[in-house]
Every structure is written in structure tokens, then in C-alpha cells.
Amino acid sequence: IAKSYARIHRQNLINAGIVPLLFKNAADYDNLKPGDELKFAGLLNMKAGEDMKIVTENGEFAVKNDLTEKEIIKYHQRGAEEVKIGVLGAGTWGMALARMLANENHDVEVYSAIESEIDELSTTRRQKNLPGMVIPDSIRFTKNIEEACKAKDIILCAVPSIFVRSTMEKAKNYIPEGQIIVDVAKGIESSTLFTMSEIIEDVLGNNMRVVAL
């Protein structure tokens, strides 16, 4: 949910299966707190530009979906398909996105180079920095980067920016040409001044379909 999508890659959100919603009242934005759980219904029957209701622990408020009719059709067509997704990075950002994707009934496998992190996540189904979030049982964890990359429709790069290059070096032998790679890491590489998506292209070549979210 945002006040505006003027400075956000809105189409990237839609392609990732995320519905862009707009606040109808600026005060509703100000009243939300970090960690608030939001619930809303109507995805199956939503119409372009219609109002939708968001429910929180403290009440409810209205939002407007920012989709055209063509985008709604495309959203439902994509949602009907199970997408195989490999997530590289099991930190807060990687696990939050993995949970969202798993809750949309996609096949999600998460990799971390830190073996103890994988052991803890597999056992507790919790990310220590997201104490209120339960990890869906459907999410699989792996210590093997090959398993996280092979036969995936999408690879999500969510490792810290300082590890993007080294992670891509480890993964490159298992990533085919034309692979969709969604980069959610932020920052600039100090030695080259490359963005994270430019680092990915530098390591893997220009035949990948890389997008930054």
C-alpha cells in the first residue's frame, strides 16, 4: 500500500504478483505502525480502480486498487500458476518475501551460505529478526546453492549488498541463459560503482533477464 506509485517500479510489483493499493486517506497511512498485521479480501472478484477494505487490529480503512482491467486479468492468470522460486538470502528481506510468495501458493526454496541459519530456520520456522512472523511449512531450506538455482522460474537475490558478487560467482554455473532474476538487494559496489543489478549482469553476462525491485 502506498500514497503514490510515481517513484516506484509499479509494473515490477504487478509482474511479481503484488497488487498495488493506494491510500484514500493520508491519515490512514500515518496511523499504521511497523509490524501491524493487515488483512483484506476481494482478490478473486476485484475490479479495476475499485475501493477495497483493509482490516487491522485497530479498525479498518479504505484503499483503492491501482490496477487496469487488463492487469487484473494478467494477475489472475499468473496467480493460477505455481511458480518455482529460488530465494538467495535468508535474512529479514529474503524471508519476508519468501513468506509472501509461499502464501500465494508458489513453490519456494530458500538458500543461505550460513549453515547454522538454515538449521535454525528449518527447526524453529522463525526468523529471529521477524519475531511475529511464522514461516509457512511449504517453504524449503537448502545449504546447496545449486538446489536453489536449478529448474527455477525466478531467482530472487536477497543477500546483503556486500555479498551479491560472491553469491553470483557461486551460483553462475547453475543459472541458465535467459533466467529471470529479481534483485531486491540495494546499494552501490564501492570498487566499481555498480548497482546490484549491474553486478549480477557483470558476473552472469547480458543474457539474463534481470530486474531490480
Side-chain angles (χ1 to χ4, degrees), residues 36-179:
D36 279 355
E37 182 175 345
L38 309 180
K39 297 179 181 180
F40 73 105
L43 282 178
L44 295 178
N45 302 309
M46 64 182 173
K47 298 177 182 179
E50 74 172 350
D51 290 352
M52 303 178 77
K53 183 172 69 175
I54 298 290
V55 178
T56 73
E57 294 178 357
N58 301 315
E60 59 184 53
F61 59 90
V63 295
K64 174 182 176 182
N65 84 55
D66 193 36
L67 291 170
T68 65
E69 286 294 344
K70 286 184 178 180
E71 287 168 343
I72 286 175
I73 293 171
K74 185 176 181 181
Y75 174 82
H76 285 310
Q77 288 174 336
R78 184 173 184 83
E81 304 171 355
E82 181 185 72
V83 179
K84 296 184 183 298
I85 302 168
V87 179
L88 306 182
T92 53
W93 193 206
M95 286 312 307
L97 292 172
R99 175 181 179 272
M100 178 200 73
L101 293 165
N103 285 342
E104 291 296 321
N105 298 317
H106 296 307
D107 182 287
V108 180
E109 187 167 19
V110 178
Y111 161 83
S112 173
I114 305 170
E115 294 191 358
S116 60
E117 185 173 46
I118 291 296
D119 291 335
E120 181 178 350
L121 290 167
S122 300
T123 303
T124 66
R125 311 305 293 185
R126 301 273 181 169
Q127 213 290 344
K128 62 183 180 182
N129 294 317
L130 297 170
M133 186 186 84
V134 178
I135 298 169
D137 291 337
S138 62
I139 293 179
R140 304 186 309 282
F141 294 97
T142 180
K143 303 171 185 178
N144 185 330
I145 199 168
E146 179 179 1
E147 291 180 1
C149 294
K150 293 192 76 172
K152 296 296 190 291
D153 298 305
I154 297 172
I155 294 174
L156 187 74
C157 179
V159 297
S161 58
I162 58 172
F163 297 123
V164 168
R165 183 175 291 277
S166 59
T167 300
M168 288 298 108
E169 290 287 356
K170 289 179 183 178
K172 66 180 180 181
N173 291 332
Y174 313 117
I175 300 178
E177 289 189 7
Q179 175 71 59

Side-chain angles (χ1 to χ4, degrees), residues 2-55:
K3 291 181 178 179
S4 167
Y5 289 94
R7 299 182 63 187
I8 299 174
H9 297 293
R10 177 181 165 282
Q11 196 60 51
N12 290 346
L13 299 177
I14 296 169
N15 290 341
I18 299 171
V19 178
L21 301 174
L22 292 168
F23 286 99
K24 295 200 70 177
N25 185 340
D28 293 326
Y29 171 86
D30 295 330
N31 290 333
L32 286 178
K33 299 179 180 61
D36 279 355
E37 182 175 345
L38 309 180
K39 297 179 181 180
F40 73 105
L43 282 178
L44 295 178
N45 302 309
M46 64 182 173
K47 298 177 182 179
E50 74 172 350
D51 290 352
M52 303 178 77
K53 183 172 69 175
I54 298 290
V55 178

